[in-house]
Amino acid sequence: MSTSDTSREHSEEQRLLSAEAEDQAERSIDTALRPERLADFVGQPRVREQMELVLRAAQARDQVADHILLAGPPGLGKTTLAMI
């Protein structure tokens, strides 16, 4: 293996490690900015109310909530709701 091949491999490895570190940093910032409770969720009042109803009913039965399908275009808060 030549020196240029070795340096190319090293450069590629550094690029991948750097991208992974950036992804982790973005995820931690993203997680810190997301609300942790439905009460803190802004927007989508009807969806929030329905989610509260489902979650309260599950708690009253001492069970986990049934499966919930969140669908729609990007930016509506589906991932945020799913993580709450």
Side-chain angles (χ1 to χ4, degrees), residues 49-71:
E49 289 169 7
Q50 291 173 349
M51 291 282 291
E52 286 174 345
L53 181 66
V54 168
L55 295 174
R56 276 196 217 128
Q59 273 184 329
R61 293 187 316 263
D62 199 27
Q63 296 178 347
V64 297
D66 293 331
H67 292 279
I68 300 169
L69 177 64
L70 301 170

Side-chain angles (χ1 to χ4, degrees), residues 4-20:
S4 65
D5 288 339
T6 303
S7 76
R8 222 178 283 137
E9 283 181 16
H10 181 69
S11 175
E12 180 70 14
E13 184 178 327
Q14 289 290 34
R15 185 182 67 79
L16 292 174
L17 291 175
S18 174
E20 186 176 310

Side-chain angles (χ1 to χ4, degrees), residues 38 41-54 81:
L38 275 174
F41 185 80
V42 177
Q44 301 291 341
R46 185 168 178 214
V47 173
R48 189 178 64 234
E49 289 169 7
Q50 291 173 349
M51 291 282 291
E52 286 174 345
L53 181 66
V54 168
L81 280 172

Side-chain angles (χ1 to χ4, degrees), residues 19-52:
E20 186 176 310
E22 287 176 16
D23 285 348
Q24 288 175 350
E26 285 181 26
R27 271 186 249 140
S28 67
I29 290 170
D30 190 42
T31 302
L33 294 175
R34 290 185 192 273
E36 295 180 4
R37 301 175 304 149
L38 275 174
D40 298 333
F41 185 80
V42 177
Q44 301 291 341
R46 185 168 178 214
V47 173
R48 189 178 64 234
E49 289 169 7
Q50 291 173 349
M51 291 282 291
E52 286 174 345

